[in-house]
């Protein structure tokens, strides 16, 4: 039974890490959308391009 507990613990740890990664990615995506909106409102083209590039990179690394 010891080996099974270690395997279960490893699986739970991996699952927790995946959930945390997803939560961080979702938070960053929402923050980027907000920053993109602010750049648009301010007419800041350079920030808009940089932020949308970062958002696209983040999305391409996702699921």
């Amino acid at each position: 039974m010891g080996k099974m507990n270690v395997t279960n613990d490893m699986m739970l740890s991996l699952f927790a890490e995946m959930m945390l990664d997803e939560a961080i990615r979702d938070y960053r995506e929402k923050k980027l959308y907000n920053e993109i909106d602010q750049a648009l409102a301010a007419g800041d083209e350079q920030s808009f391009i940089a932020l949308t590039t970062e958002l696209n990179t983040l999305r391409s690394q996702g699921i």
Side-chain angles (χ1 to χ4, degrees), residues 32-56:
L32 282 168
Y33 274 118
N34 187 25
E35 291 174 3
I36 289 168
D37 286 346
Q38 290 175 3
L40 281 171
D44 186 349
E45 184 178 351
Q46 287 182 328
S47 291
F48 173 80
I49 291 170
L51 292 165
T52 54
T53 299
E54 185 176 346
L55 178 61
N56 288 333

Side-chain angles (χ1 to χ4, degrees), residues 2-58:
K3 187 174 183 179
M4 184 176 269
N5 285 338
V6 170
T7 302
N8 286 340
D9 288 347
M10 290 175 61
M11 292 299 290
L12 286 174
S13 177
L14 180 60
F15 180 71
E17 185 176 345
M18 289 169 56
M19 294 299 295
L20 181 58
D21 287 347
E22 184 178 345
I24 291 169
R25 188 172 32 256
D26 287 348
Y27 172 80
R28 184 61 186 145
E29 187 174 327
K30 288 176 186 174
K31 188 167 174 37
L32 282 168
Y33 274 118
N34 187 25
E35 291 174 3
I36 289 168
D37 286 346
Q38 290 175 3
L40 281 171
D44 186 349
E45 184 178 351
Q46 287 182 328
S47 291
F48 173 80
I49 291 170
L51 292 165
T52 54
T53 299
E54 185 176 346
L55 178 61
N56 288 333
T57 300
L58 182 68

